[in-house]
Amino acid sequence: GESVGLHLPTLSVQEGDNSIINCAYSNSASDYFIWYKQESGKGPQFIIDIRSNMDKRQGQRVTVLLNKTVKHLSLQIAATQPGDSAVYFCAENEAGANNLFFGTGTRLTVIP
Amino acid sequence: KAGVTQTPRYLIKTRGQQVTLSCSPISGHRSVSWYQQTPGQGLQFLFEYFSETQRNKGNFPGRFSGRQFSNSRSEMNVSTLELGDSALYLCASSALQQNTEAFFGQGTRLTVV
């Protein structure tokens, strides 16, 4: 049968505003989480990671928050720039493994 | 330091044929994972190799196979290609056995006609 494309959540923000991208994960055994950015025609690019013994981690202009109680992950991008326009994926990793399970992704569009 | 290199970048094959894709990980990385990305299913884990051993396998049919060489380079093979195998195949390398950053290559775009 004909495959239906995934409906990607979208987020549009004005240049200079902060962006928040959310992700729900499902596996309680996951203990490592990564956010990736994927631009058209490219492979996913590592942004930031967090381990399950933390609830917040900051990088350059990015912050990841982890709420294990409700199995929720978020990525905050400060002062969003046009170059931040891309699809963002969260990924969870089971303990003791290197196999990532990806969310469906969120398309971020930055309006100049 | 060179990144993850995948070859070829683009490939067109006919149904029923087989295909081999190649991945050279970042120097020093011993873990290589493969993923399939399609509009319909998103990014899905295929398998992971560490020190020439397959450690984990995703939910794909036996037509999908792989191997890793002593220099950590990896290949994946898809036999008896189907139209639904058309996808972007991504390879990721990691330095450690577990819970560490995975760095992706540009992918191989496979089109089955």
Side-chain angles (χ1 to χ4, degrees):
Chain A
E2 191 175 37
S3 65
V4 178
L6 287 171
H7 174 67
L8 280 185
T10 59
L11 176 65
S12 295
V13 299
Q14 289 289 140
E15 182 178 357
D17 286 352
N18 297 334
S19 304
I20 300 177
I21 300 171
N22 296 301
C23 176
Y25 66 94
S26 56
N27 190 350
S28 300
S30 295
D31 66 353
Y32 178 60
F33 305 87
I34 308 177
W35 278 100
Y36 284 94
K37 170 187 179 183
Q38 188 174 26
E39 297 173 284
S40 181
K42 296 184 179 180
Q45 176 188 352
F46 174 89
I47 301 174
I48 192 168
D49 60 358
I50 189 168
R51 301 187 189 281
S52 60
N53 60 353
M54 303 171 70
D55 52 23
K56 180 178 180 178
R57 189 158 188 238
Q58 289 185 287
Q60 187 177 17
R61 283 202 306 120
V62 294
T63 300
V64 55
L65 299 176
L66 174 63
N67 185 330
K68 294 180 288 294
T69 303
V70 295
K71 295 188 208 160
H72 184 267
L73 201 62
S74 69
L75 176 70
Q76 300 177 3
I77 305 174
T80 315
Q81 302 167 0
D84 295 328
S85 293
V87 177
Y88 289 80
F89 293 95
C90 66
E92 57 183 300
N93 196 14
E94 283 185 7
N98 271 339
N99 43 313
L100 296 170
F101 294 93
F102 284 83
T104 54
T106 296
R107 184 177 300 281
L108 174 66
T109 301
V110 181
I111 303 163
Chain B
K1 202 175 196 181
V4 179
T5 304
Q6 292 188 244
T7 56
R9 286 293 310 277
Y10 303 93
L11 207 48
I12 299 176
K13 289 286 188 179
T14 305
R15 271 182 301 176
Q17 287 187 312
Q18 72 161 11
V19 67
T20 299
L21 312 181
S22 180
C23 172
S24 292
I26 292 171
S27 178
H29 285 195
R30 294 164 63 190
S31 170
V32 174
S33 304
W34 289 89
Y35 295 83
Q36 181 196 63
Q37 186 173 29
T38 61
Q41 300 297 323
L43 270 156
Q44 293 187 291
F45 171 75
L46 279 157
F47 28 67
E48 186 242 349
Y49 288 87
F50 185 87
S51 293
E52 302 179 64
T53 301
Q54 186 182 93
R55 298 201 305 156
N56 291 291
K57 190 176 192 303
N59 189 26
F60 278 82
R63 298 184 299 107
F64 292 80
S65 63
R67 59 179 174 168
Q68 186 180 34
F69 302 95
S70 59
N71 61 359
S72 294
R73 191 177 70 84
S74 178
E75 290 180 346
M76 68 163 281
N77 184 278
V78 188
S79 62
T80 320
L81 283 165
E82 301 176 359
L83 295 179
D85 297 333
S86 295
L88 180 67
Y89 289 89
L90 291 157
C91 164
S93 81
S94 302
L96 303 176
Q97 282 194 44
Q98 59 182 346
N99 295 357
T100 188
E101 305 100 290
F103 297 94
F104 283 83
Q106 298 270 59
T108 294
R109 171 72 64 185
L110 172 65
T111 302
V112 182
V113 298

